[in-house]
Amino acid sequence: MKRVVVLVSGTGTLLQALLDAQADGTLGARIVGVVSDRADAGGLQRAHYAGLPTVVVPLDKDVSSAPQPPGAARAAWDAALTDAVASFAPDLVVGAGFMRLLGPSFLARFDGRVIGSHPALLPSFPGAHGVRDALAYGVKVTGATIFQIDAGVDTGRILAQEAVDVLPGDTEDSLHERIKVAERSMLVRIVRDWSPTERKP
Ligand code: GRF
């Protein structure tokens, strides 16, 4: 059974979809750990309720009082995150609402085995506010994308997409909730069908 580690930063409803699929035997994988950059992430509670081990690797802006060269704190965080995830020996790493860019040491360690979900139809509306940006632009159709995470901002190989209509009167929250429904079903399907032997180019 392929081993999966899930990265979360927020409420964790995408993680919950994976946990629910695992519980009913339709995930075809075993979630072995949940890692977050935030101790207050709701996803960590969901992991605890499911009896899963969790690790928090906080990215503290002023990580130490000692002056450091630019990027040193970020590089240290990336290395710590890499070690935390590696401790679970995953076949696949899933970013489920993880709001940090994964650095070079992480991507080198888990090359080609890191996937994520974005609440827009990439390459449109990348970044931390995909739903808000799509709504502000006035698109009539947006959606969700599951992709292979690379060093860019939401620039990796697209694995699955699903369109979601923007409805009159939609707010960012109402639209995002409908997009998450699409994300959850696609994420379960991609994790289920992902093959450890299949090294993505
Ligand atoms: C998802 O829409 C994800 O694409 C975005 O943040 C949301 C996370 O939702 N990055 P949740 O924390 O899993 O409920």
Side-chain angles (χ1 to χ4, degrees):
M1 184 74 85
K2 54 189 174 247
R3 297 168 59 87
V4 175
V5 167
V6 183
L7 308 177
V8 297
S9 298
T11 54
T13 66
L14 271 60
L15 165 66
Q16 192 61 54
L18 296 171
L19 292 169
D20 294 347
Q22 178 178 300
D24 64 25
T26 57
L27 188 64
R30 188 157 69 91
I31 300 171
V32 294
V34 175
V35 177
S36 182
D37 60 310
R38 299 175 56 107
D40 64 349
L44 293 172
Q45 299 310 317
R46 297 175 188 273
H48 294 152
Y49 293 143
L52 286 176
T54 62
V55 178
V56 177
V57 185
L59 178 59
D60 188 352
K61 292 269 184 274
D62 49 355
V63 67
S64 82
S65 53
Q68 299 187 36
R74 185 68 189 227
W77 175 81
D78 190 55
L81 184 74
T82 302
D83 292 344
V85 172
S87 71
F88 294 108
D91 297 298
L92 177 65
V93 182
V94 178
F98 191 66
M99 296 305 281
R100 300 285 184 190
L101 286 180
L102 296 170
S105 76
F106 191 96
L107 293 172
R109 181 68 177 269
F110 303 109
D111 175 38
R113 297 183 285 140
V114 190
I115 65 172
S117 182
H118 183 70
L121 291 176
L122 294 174
S124 300
F125 310 115
H129 305 289
V131 179
R132 185 181 72 184
D133 297 344
L135 204 54
Y137 191 94
V139 297
K140 300 305 179 191
V141 177
T142 183
T145 303
I146 309 297
F147 63 105
Q148 185 176 333
I149 294 178
D150 66 8
V153 177
D154 301 326
T155 54
R157 179 171 176 268
I158 291 175
L159 302 175
Q161 291 191 302
E162 187 172 320
V164 174
D165 289 337
V166 180
L167 302 179
D170 253 335
T171 62
E172 181 180 351
D173 286 347
S174 64
L175 176 55
H176 200 167
E177 281 314 307
R178 285 203 313 281
I179 290 172
K180 283 187 183 183
V181 173
E183 289 183 272
R184 295 178 194 125
S185 59
M186 282 197 291
L187 201 52
V188 168
R189 175 164 55 82
I190 292 292
V191 169
R192 185 191 62 221
D193 297 345
W194 190 84
S195 155
T197 55
E198 191 183 325
R199 301 286 297 174
K200 302 283 191 298

